[in-house]
């Protein structure tokens, strides 16, 4: 049937994947339109390919004659098209080698290595499409299409700057599983509840699907487990869900549902269009692929947000459990039910009374409510990261910052006619890792307490260095006439347009504009999230250049960036001291100076004079004026020197800034962290060293009297291996985990490679023998917490006031009052 006339839709691309149709790869777009509907639109014009550089001159026919063999016979290219590109700044003449199906690309690429070098053969077909077309996901487009045989085919896509992003239908869900052995068994233990909370087409609904009668208005009772799984699929379909969100759902919920469906011999498929629901590997993590919909695992998103520092609420969490993250985001609000009790006794509640099943349903629904809160908070950042980098949301939500940087580089490389470098081989990665790059300059402080401090920061130091000096692997030169020469001797061509500085300038300029708009409209979630996304990506480029697995790895570039950074910091320290300021500390991009007998205006004049001599893209900014600061020392070969990244400041407005102390680490107990914070506040806010010492003495007294709750004494540590992976019990966390498994309190799966929370009890002769998992411990060893937690955490500060351990423990007197 011939194609009909061209029609148009207004909408946004939600996802890109492909099908094999008629023996060829066919790109499929999932498009959410302004009419509220989702469409599948095929692009039959786009074909899979890779780039080939022959070792000697070849014709297109000669290239097209190269073939490969697999179990299905001979694989031949469809065609070869000559194409000149650039590879790390050098012109190269090669061929775009096209294939019928995406799976032929790596097979032919391997065969072609006998005749030259192959590039871009490891790029997934859907990503290849996003790279080449430049389509921006989740952004308004006018999409022209034609219809043939009941299917829609893409004619063109045009960005619609005045268009509106369609509303997305979102569902958060959680499952409860029967667990008589504590660890649920996929082959035997049924799914007993599926809770959900969704927003679709302007309405919200919450519910629990189960197969026992429960007297709750939000509960829907079906015949059995099989019916519950199918009813959940119906719920997703009936409400036209675009995004399905879970918490650790790639590793547990979806995986468990798929396995149970297989055992029950039913088709559990959440896909909107043709294709299965499946779990795929993406780098170091699993992702869920649902045709026509996007799955977002908020556990992975939360970890990403924490790593990049995009949320102050979760930076100090000991672990990223659903309960902990929800409590942090909701201002301390806890789940309605006792989570640990429910997790360990799910099967008892299920088999128990009507009231207990009601409680279990409340608990299950509470998980979905908590998940929706987390989704609403963090999903906007992931969506803006997707829009910023051009990577589809399904991939963005499982990517590291480095992977997002790399995808953005791939898009720009294609747009600028550059060959995308191959991933390094294992041996090459090992060689890169064994040759570390010199880092930033740090001027360590003299330990002590200081008053009247001013702090300056270089705004986006490393991105601005890359932009100002055109730092990129392709711009490195030896014979260029006009160049920037880095302090490490590497030259960068001033005239060459290179993609890394181009991208960074776009990101920095965009963020500057967005911040201005956000300042006028501080409640705008989209603007706030976009600003965060732009910052995350811009700040990740330097690390990517020095990352051993990076396609665009360049030791010369990464070393040049840090060399420039050291130069700018040292030059400005010298200039500050020339102007009569005392610089007490400096690290990477910050300078901390004492005002002394100078005024604030003098400090601001210094800043203006510095900026007058910096390249256009670089700027020294005022962070704040601080009334008091504490800097601590550390022992190096017997001598005491200032510690790096370990200080606390209080601003004139009362804001406290803390860097490097134990209160931001999870492997110290809450009692030690909170005591340290109280000590810092007493010194910073009140200037009282006596009160700081009394705080410590009071805590020690309570510990010895047994008045401190066990919950404040839990120490959290990551168990890096399986419990049988250690030759001997050497660590308290391992010993605690083994005891928990031996006594049936936890399963091996629950403790291995997990964050272990334990308490040091009175029972045993060694620390490992005394360690008991949280929930198993009934008492604590006060002297351990005094000598190994509270005293070490606070003496780092109080020794600068000349207090001794003996004085704090009540065993002696203070040596000297300052």
């Amino acid at each position: 049937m011939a194609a009909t006339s061209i029609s148009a839709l207004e909408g946004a691309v939600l996802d890109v994947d492909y099908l094999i149709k008629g023996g060829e790869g066919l790109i499929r777009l999932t498009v959410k339109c302004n009419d509220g509907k989702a469409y599948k639109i095929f692009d039959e014009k786009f074909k899979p390919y890779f780039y080939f550089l022959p070792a000697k001159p070849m014709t297109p026919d000669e290239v097209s004659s190269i073939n490969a063999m697999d179990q299905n016979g001979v694989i031949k290219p469809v065609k070869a098209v000559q194409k000149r590109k650039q590879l790390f700044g050098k012109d190269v003449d090669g061929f775009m080698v096209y294939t019928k199906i995406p799976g032929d690309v790596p097979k032919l690429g391997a065969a072609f290595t006998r005749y030259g070098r192959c590039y871009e053969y490891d790029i997934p077909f859907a990503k290849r499409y996003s790279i080449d077309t430049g389509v921006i996901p989740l952004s308004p487009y006018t999409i022209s299409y034609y219809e043939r045989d009941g299917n829609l085919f893409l004619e063109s896509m045009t960005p619609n700057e005045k268009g509106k992003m369609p509303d997305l239908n979102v569902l958060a869900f959680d499952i409860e599983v029967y667990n008589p052995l504590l660890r649920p068994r996929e082959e035997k233990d049924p799914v007993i509840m599926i809770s959900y909370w969704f927003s679709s087409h302007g309405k919200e609904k919450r519910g629990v699907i189960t197969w026992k009668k429960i007297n709750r208005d939000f509960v829907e009772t079906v015949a059995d487990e099989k019916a519950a799984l199918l009813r959940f699929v119906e719920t997703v379909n009936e409400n036209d869900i675009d995004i399905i969100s879970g918490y650790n759902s790639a590793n547990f919920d979806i995986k468990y549902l798929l396995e149970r469906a297989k055992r029950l011999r039913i088709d559990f498929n959440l896909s909107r269009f043709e294709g299965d629901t499946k779990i795929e590997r993406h780098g170091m993590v699993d992702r869920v692929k649902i045709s026509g919909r996007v799955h977002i695992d908020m556990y992975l998103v939360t970890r990403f947000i924490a790593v990049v520092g995009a949320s102050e609420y979760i930076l100090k969490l000991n672990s990223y459990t659903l309960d902990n993250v929800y409590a942090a985001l909701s201002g301390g609000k806890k789940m309605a039910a006792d989570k640990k009790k429910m997790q360990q006794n799910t099967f008892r509640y299920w088999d128990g009374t009507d009231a207990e099943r009601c409680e279990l349903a409340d608990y299950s629904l509470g998980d979905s409510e908590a998940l929706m809160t987390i989704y609403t908070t963090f999903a906007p950042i992931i969506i803006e990261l997707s829009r910023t980098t051009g990577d589809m949301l399904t991939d963005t939500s499982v990517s590291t910052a480095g992977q997002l940087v790399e995808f953005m580089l791939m898009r720009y490389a294609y747009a600028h006619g550059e060959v995308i470098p191959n991933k390094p081989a294992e041996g090459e990665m090992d060689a890169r890792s064994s040759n570390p790059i010199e880092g930033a300059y740090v001027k360590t402080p003299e330990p002590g307490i200081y008053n009247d401090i001013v702090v300056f920061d270089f705004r986006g130091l490393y991105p601005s260095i890359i932009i100002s000096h055109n730092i990129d692997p392709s711009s490195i030169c030896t014979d260029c006439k006009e160049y920037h020469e880095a302090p490490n001797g590497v030259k960068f061509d001033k005239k060459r347009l290179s993609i890394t500085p181009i991208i960074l300038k776009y990101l920095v300029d965009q963020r500057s504009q967005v911040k201005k708009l956000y300042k006028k409209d501080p409640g705008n979630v989209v603007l706030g999230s976009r600003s965060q996304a732009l910052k995350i990506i811009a700040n990740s480029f330097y690390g990517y250049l020095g990352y051993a697995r990076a396609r665009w790895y360049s030791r010369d570039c990464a070393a040049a960036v840090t060399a420039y950074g050291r130069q700018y910091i040292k030059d400005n320290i010298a200039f500050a001291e020339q102007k009569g300021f005392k610089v007490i500390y400096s690290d990477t991009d910050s300078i901390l100076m004492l005002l002394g007998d100078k005024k604030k205006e003098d400090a601001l004049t210094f800043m203006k004079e510095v900026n007058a001599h910096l390249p256009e893209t670089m700027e020294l900014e005022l962070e704040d004026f601080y009334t008091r600061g504490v800097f601590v020392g550390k022992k190096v070969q017997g001598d005491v020197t200032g510690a790096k990244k370990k200080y606390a400041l209080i601003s004139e407005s009362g804001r406290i800034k803390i860097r490097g102390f134990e209160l931001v680490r999870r492997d110290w107990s809450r009692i030690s962290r909170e005591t340290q914070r109280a000590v810092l506040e007493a010194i910073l806010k009140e200037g009282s060293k006596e009160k700081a010492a009394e705080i410590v003495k009071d805590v020690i007294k309570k510990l010895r009297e047994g008045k401190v709750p066990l919950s404040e004494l839990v120490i959290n540590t990551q168990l890096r291996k399986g419990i049988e992976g250690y030759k001997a019990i050497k660590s308290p966390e391992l010993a605690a985990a083994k005891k928990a498994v031996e006594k049936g309190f936890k399963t091996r799966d629950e403790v291995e490679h997990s964050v272990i929370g334990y308490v040091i009890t009175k029972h045993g002769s060694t620390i490992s023998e005394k360690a008991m998992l949280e929930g198993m411990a009934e008492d604590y060893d006060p002297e351990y917490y005094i000598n190994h937690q509270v005293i070490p955490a606070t003496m780092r500060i109080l020794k600068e006031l000349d207090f001794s351990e003996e004085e704090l423990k009540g065993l002696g007197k203070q040596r000297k009052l300052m």
Side-chain angles (χ1 to χ4, degrees), residues 456-459 572 575 603-622:
F456 293 109
D457 284 317
F458 279 102
R459 176 171 57 87
N572 285 289
F575 184 57
L604 296 176
T605 299
F606 160 79
M607 180 181 71
K608 290 177 182 177
E609 290 177 347
V610 168
N611 285 329
H613 295 90
L614 290 175
E616 184 180 347
T617 58
M618 297 186 68
E619 183 181 358
L620 188 68
E621 295 181 315
L622 172 70

Side-chain angles (χ1 to χ4, degrees), residues 246-275:
Y247 204 83
N248 199 30
S249 43
N251 279 327
F252 181 69
D253 301 73
I254 295 289
K255 189 177 288 186
Y256 202 93
L257 288 166
L258 289 172
E259 185 58 33
R260 288 303 300 158
K262 189 188 299 182
R263 301 280 177 174
L264 295 168
R265 298 182 180 180
I266 59 173
D267 181 23
F268 180 82
N269 190 3
L270 297 167
S271 295
R272 175 184 259 153
F273 304 138
E274 180 182 354

Side-chain angles (χ1 to χ4, degrees), residues 752-787:
E752 290 188 334
H753 307 288
S754 299
V755 174
I756 302 299
Y758 62 92
V759 175
I760 302 301
T761 69
K762 296 178 179 178
H763 310 288
S765 57
T766 66
I767 299 300
S768 291
E769 288 177 1
K770 293 181 177 184
M772 297 288 286
L773 218 61
E774 181 186 7
M776 294 178 68
E778 296 179 353
D779 57 30
Y780 65 87
D781 179 352
E783 294 307 315
Y784 170 83
Y785 285 96
I786 293 167
N787 294 314

Side-chain angles (χ1 to χ4, degrees), residues 114 153 314 335-336 349 698 797 807:
R114 291 175 291 172
F153 292 88
I314 62 170
M335 302 293 195
Y349 279 78
D698 185 57
I797 305 159
E807 157 70 8

Side-chain angles (χ1 to χ4, degrees), residues 546-559:
Y547 178 49
R549 294 180 177 272
R551 293 177 188 265
W552 273 271
Y553 170 87
S554 173
R555 190 179 193 283
D556 283 342
C557 287

